[in-house]
Amino acid sequence: MIKITDLHAGIGSKEILKGINLEIKAGEVHAIMGPNGSGKSTLASIITGNSKFDITGGSIEFEENDLLEMSPEDRANAGIFLSFQYPVEIPGVAMSSFMKAAFNEKRKYNKLAPIDSASFLKIMREKAALVGMDLSLLHRPVNEGFSGGEKKRNEIFQMAMLEPKLAILDETDSGLDIDALRIVSEGVNKLKSKDNALIVITHYQRLLDYIVPDFVHVLYDGRIVKSAGRELAPELEEKGYDWLKH
Amino acid sequence: MMNNIPNSIKSVSPKRLPEYMTAQQQKALDKLEKFDAETPDIHMEQYREKYRHTPVEKFFTEDDTVGKTSHGTENEHPNFSEIDAVKIFMINGVYAGRDQIVSDDGYIYGSLATAAFAMPEIVQKYYNQISDESDKIALTNTAFAHNGLFVTMESGTIPRKPLLIIDITDTDITEQERNLFVFAKACIANVIIYTTSSTDVATFTNNLSEIAVEQDAQVNIVRIHNRDSLSRHFASDCCRQYAGSSLELTNIIVNGGLARQNTEVHLSEKRCNSNLYGLVTAAGSQHIDNYTFIDHAAPECQSNELYKYILNDKALNIFNGRILVRPDAQKTLAFQSNKNILLSAEAKIHTKPQLEIYADDVKCSHGTTTGQLNEEALFYMQARGINKKTAEIMIMTGFANEILKKINNPQLEDYIRTEILKKF
């Protein structure tokens, strides 16, 4: 589905990613772990198309397209989704209008007519129920005044609405209490299928107890220094990252 | 262009006025003539500061920098016939109805000249009592305005409909319109004032409205200014509130070449509540200047002010908000905020919040922010598949909505939102 080859990137002269290689196939769940500042969020931002970062080398192929050549909106409509570590507040723009705009852009991209309001409302209700999101939030401005937990739940709600092929969860577990974590994870698991894939960025094994990865990668100083099966996560929890640094 | 305005409406010639009004006019004229010579230096300095970015002289001379570029296409009007309201047309500053006082749905109105004779006890009590005698522009209006609109209501009146005043200017002859609004005790009023002009005439207007909000009255006024970029406009809303009254005054400047709006509210008695909202959208070389003055002269009053600007191209705009809390105005709550979005590198905003507090038991704050469209919000929306242009429009609309929703009429609100988006 996505193939990242020798990716180098940074901001200005500061290199953050120093040669990332990663291939993900449909149906797989990959966890990316690693200490703060190792480049996990940068990798997520670059896949999504944040122009803040300069790509200095390498390539990303997404379903045989050159992803780096695509605009952020095209990437989203082609099926890439990022659950933001820090979801952004948009004053004055209601969640429901925001979601409807996004939903219809995707339909337009797929050459479908805009959805009618009644059907859209019905889908919103279903998906909100799936992630246990309070319906009243849909009438409020995007993320404005949402609690930390509500913001994260809202990200997964949007993922449910847009049904991406490749979803990246960037520290979706931070800010969630244990009950919310369970509900959100159950939501994510319901959305999983053999046709889509998931990248889970996290510091803690806790989330991986619910969303079980097929592969675990350790990102350190801009490189993937270790890749293994799901058994690596508890080992990291126990031993920390230090033993991988050399 | 004026196709949805009834044919029967024609402007009427200036009326003679009663002596109590002409005496005020003469007094204003005298003051005006001696203004430069007799105004003490310290007041003159304050006065210059008040008009720093928009010198009065600019209104009275042709100015090459103003309005040479026309924005938007034809000046269109909302379909007024679809709006359910009591409607009043003002053409070139003159009340365009019959020479009599009309009562409709609780609103009592007519031309100011007609009212001056028909209802002298009210007109004499309020006429030229709220207007600022230390302001040249206000004095000019008092000295030269012959007519305008008079609106009042009886105590306790609660109309079913809003009052919609459609104020059209389509001549390049200087217009000086003088209006008087007297909202009696415990009445509830919703007023929308829509000022517009024809596309191809360089209009020049100097309007002044005195607005008295009596005890426990609740008044909501929405002013919408949507003139062509050739227009030069000066307007003053001089308001006085009495005990327990509330006033919400929303001032939306959609389009105009040069516009200076003075909004002055005197909180004269206890427990008044005052909300001032503003939205300016300016592009091209449009010059929009808002001066607001809230005078807390009595205890236990509350004022809240929020002005927002969206500026593009080379628009030069000003927000000057002054709040005065006098020594007796204990337990005052006064909050002011000014938020601006600059869409181009050359757009400019001068913002000057002024808080003068002479009482000790008060809560006051002011703040201002100016920035570009939020890049993070833009990216967040793009990352959900929304194209950049749509995302920009949604963010701008979201910014404007907070003020637009103060328009108590969905049709008009939608119309104005569309008009605003045309500019960017």
Side-chain angles (χ1 to χ4, degrees):
Chain A
M1 178 176 283
I2 190 165
K3 191 178 177 193
I4 302 171
T5 312
D6 197 26
L7 183 69
H8 290 256
I11 296 181
S13 59
K14 186 174 177 264
E15 192 171 37
I16 302 170
L17 300 183
K18 301 170 180 171
I20 300 275
N21 290 292
L22 183 64
E23 185 170 1
I24 296 172
K25 295 193 173 69
E28 294 177 347
V29 177
H30 290 241
I32 297 180
M33 303 179 80
N36 286 329
S38 57
K40 303 187 298 294
S41 288
T42 302
L43 178 62
S45 293
I46 287 171
I47 296 173
T48 325
N50 194 334
S51 58
K52 194 165 87 181
F53 300 95
D54 306 310
I55 317 286
T56 48
S59 66
I60 306 180
E61 210 176 276
F62 179 68
E63 293 196 313
E64 290 165 12
N65 293 311
D66 182 355
L67 192 73
L68 297 176
E69 287 299 309
M70 294 164 75
S71 68
E73 49 266 45
D74 281 351
R75 295 182 199 200
N77 291 324
I80 286 180
F81 180 91
L82 171 64
S83 167
F84 281 65
Q85 186 181 359
Y86 304 108
V88 182
E89 297 183 5
I90 312 173
V93 178
M95 250 322 284
S96 53
S97 354
F98 165 68
M99 214 56 256
K100 195 170 182 184
F103 196 85
N104 277 331
E105 291 266 10
K106 186 171 182 185
R107 287 179 65 90
K108 194 168 136 195
Y109 187 85
N110 292 320
K111 303 195 166 48
L112 294 168
I115 191 165
D116 65 275
S117 294
S119 316
F120 180 72
L121 258 170
K122 192 166 161 276
I123 297 172
M124 279 214 303
R125 286 217 180 89
E126 282 170 21
K127 305 295 185 182
L130 186 77
V131 297
M133 193 168 88
D134 189 346
L135 281 172
S136 69
L137 296 180
L138 298 175
H139 303 294
R140 302 227 315 248
V142 179
N143 290 321
E144 206 177 47
F146 287 29
S147 70
E150 283 170 337
K151 282 182 181 170
K152 293 303 176 79
R153 211 178 278 227
N154 186 18
E155 294 294 291
I156 303 308
F157 162 71
Q158 294 175 43
M159 174 180 160
M161 287 297 296
L162 299 171
E163 300 183 326
K165 288 176 189 158
L166 174 66
I168 307 162
L169 308 186
D170 190 0
E171 295 195 22
T172 299
D173 47 344
S174 67
L176 287 182
D177 61 38
I178 202 79
D179 289 329
L181 182 71
R182 186 176 47 77
I183 294 163
V184 164
S185 307
E186 280 169 5
V188 171
N189 285 332
K190 281 180 206 157
L191 298 169
K192 243 172 62 183
S193 79
K194 64 176 175 36
D195 300 318
N196 58 30
L198 204 56
I199 298 176
V200 182
I201 295 172
T202 182
H203 278 293
Y204 306 105
Q205 194 215 327
R206 204 177 61 161
L207 178 66
L208 304 178
D209 289 341
Y210 295 101
I211 304 172
V212 182
D214 301 303
F215 302 95
V216 176
H217 309 278
V218 177
L219 192 59
Y220 176 74
D221 193 25
R223 288 185 190 91
I224 290 175
V225 293
K226 189 166 178 67
S227 294
R230 69 189 56 146
E231 68 285 351
L232 180 58
E235 198 178 347
L236 290 169
E237 188 89 356
E238 196 187 316
K239 292 158 82 175
Y241 296 112
D242 275 350
W243 63 287
L244 292 169
K245 286 183 183 174
H246 308 289
Chain B
M1 56 150 276
M2 314 252 169
N3 50 4
N4 51 37
I5 291 147
N7 283 330
S8 59
I9 290 173
K10 296 203 177 72
S11 10
V12 286
S13 54
K15 300 280 186 311
R16 65 188 178 87
L17 296 171
E19 197 273 332
Y20 69 84
M21 281 174 86
T22 51
Q24 298 271 12
Q25 291 183 328
Q26 189 55 50
K27 207 173 86 190
L29 192 60
D30 292 344
K31 273 196 176 176
L32 200 58
E33 279 169 354
K34 295 174 198 151
F35 193 87
D36 290 345
E38 292 190 358
T39 303
D41 284 352
I42 181 152
H43 291 157
M44 204 61 189
E45 208 164 293
Q46 282 173 354
Y47 173 75
R48 287 211 185 93
E49 188 55 31
K50 183 175 165 187
Y51 285 94
R52 189 169 155 202
H53 298 286
T54 313
V56 173
E57 290 67 29
K58 208 167 176 166
F59 286 94
F60 292 96
T61 52
E62 274 303 325
D63 187 318
D64 286 335
T65 62
V66 174
K68 291 304 175 199
T69 50
S70 188
H71 267 267
T73 50
E74 276 289 288
N75 239 22
E76 287 167 14
H77 302 293
N79 194 345
F80 296 123
S81 61
E82 276 182 8
I83 297 172
D84 186 26
V86 173
K87 288 165 209 162
I88 297 175
F89 285 88
M90 301 290 294
I91 311 280
N92 297 327
V94 179
Y95 172 72
R98 291 183 184 183
D99 188 7
Q100 64 187 47
I101 299 295
V102 179
S103 177
D104 187 353
D105 195 29
Y107 298 103
I108 299 165
Y109 58 90
S111 83
L112 182 60
T114 305
F117 291 104
M119 310 176 86
E121 66 294 343
I122 301 182
V123 177
Q124 190 163 8
K125 184 175 171 192
Y126 296 96
Y127 173 76
N128 209 34
Q129 300 305 305
I130 313 173
S131 164
D132 184 359
E133 295 281 283
S134 67
D135 187 302
K136 230 180 193 176
I137 276 284
L139 284 171
T140 307
N141 180 284
T142 306
F144 298 107
H146 290 289
N147 208 343
L149 176 66
F150 172 75
V151 176
T152 191
M153 295 167 81
E154 283 180 8
S155 299
T157 311
I158 305 174
R160 197 175 57 80
K161 297 180 191 177
L163 178 69
L164 174 61
I165 300 164
I166 301 145
D167 190 332
I168 299 160
T169 304
D170 66 353
T171 167
D172 57 0
I173 297 167
T174 300
E175 166 191 315
Q176 307 234 29
E177 178 184 312
R178 179 63 166 239
N179 306 317
L180 176 60
F181 296 84
V182 179
F183 297 101
K185 279 184 189 173
C187 72
I188 297 179
N190 277 302
V191 181
I192 301 169
I193 305 170
Y194 190 88
T195 49
T196 188
S197 62
S198 57
T199 45
D200 44 357
V201 180
T203 59
F204 174 36
T205 46
N206 176 21
N207 298 353
L208 192 146
S209 298
E210 290 183 288
I211 299 164
V213 183
E214 279 292 353
Q215 202 181 316
D216 297 321
Q218 293 174 41
V219 177
N220 190 333
I221 300 174
V222 178
R223 200 178 247 301
I224 301 167
H225 185 70
N226 191 13
R227 287 215 172 127
D228 188 74
S229 299
L230 290 170
S231 65
R232 284 177 296 151
H233 176 69
F234 191 95
S236 306
D237 283 330
C238 305
C239 314
R240 181 169 307 246
Q241 287 186 243
Y242 298 91
S245 65
S246 358
L247 172 66
E248 182 170 306
L249 187 53
T250 304
N251 177 16
I252 299 170
I253 300 182
V254 180
N255 205 36
L258 183 81
R260 161 73 182 220
Q261 172 78 45
N262 287 341
T263 304
E264 306 188 355
V265 182
H266 301 277
L267 303 169
S268 304
E269 293 181 359
K270 279 187 177 180
R271 292 176 292 100
C272 293
N273 189 358
S274 203
N275 292 312
L276 300 189
Y277 300 109
L279 175 68
V280 173
T281 55
S285 59
Q286 293 173 343
H287 178 116
I288 314 290
D289 183 349
N290 271 298
Y291 170 79
T292 69
F293 175 44
I294 301 177
D295 179 7
H296 278 271
E300 296 165 41
C301 295
Q302 185 171 344
S303 71
N304 183 30
E305 190 175 5
L306 171 63
Y307 267 69
K308 290 184 157 187
Y309 288 65
I310 306 176
L311 307 178
N312 203 0
D313 305 329
K314 292 179 181 175
L316 169 71
N317 284 242
I318 298 102
F319 172 76
N320 183 349
R322 182 175 171 221
I323 296 172
L324 172 63
V325 182
R326 294 184 193 262
D328 289 342
Q330 297 296 0
K331 309 274 182 203
T332 287
L333 298 176
F335 307 106
Q336 184 194 72
S337 170
N338 168 229
K339 296 179 180 175
N340 313 305
I341 293 181
L342 304 182
L343 298 174
S344 81
E346 289 171 298
K348 241 187 209 173
I349 174 104
H350 296 288
T351 172
K352 188 179 181 190
Q354 304 176 70
L355 205 45
E356 296 164 48
I357 303 172
Y358 301 100
D360 48 23
D361 184 13
V362 300
K363 262 188 206 156
C364 301
S365 74
H366 65 77
T368 177
T369 56
T370 298
Q372 291 153 340
L373 278 184
N374 184 341
E375 288 290 331
E376 282 187 12
L378 267 180
F379 178 68
Y380 187 72
M381 295 175 91
Q382 285 178 277
R384 296 296 179 255
I386 301 171
N387 80 61
K388 197 174 178 192
K389 185 73 199 169
T390 308
E392 285 172 354
I393 285 172
M394 287 180 78
I395 292 172
M396 274 194 279
T397 311
F399 181 79
N401 273 347
E402 194 177 357
I403 308 296
L404 291 177
K405 72 183 183 197
K406 306 289 176 193
I407 303 175
N408 274 331
N409 182 290
Q411 288 141 301
L412 207 50
E413 185 185 330
D414 287 345
Y415 177 82
I416 297 303
R417 188 176 291 110
T418 315
E419 282 286 286
I420 285 173
L421 291 178
K422 271 196 218 161
K423 299 186 74 170
F424 302 111

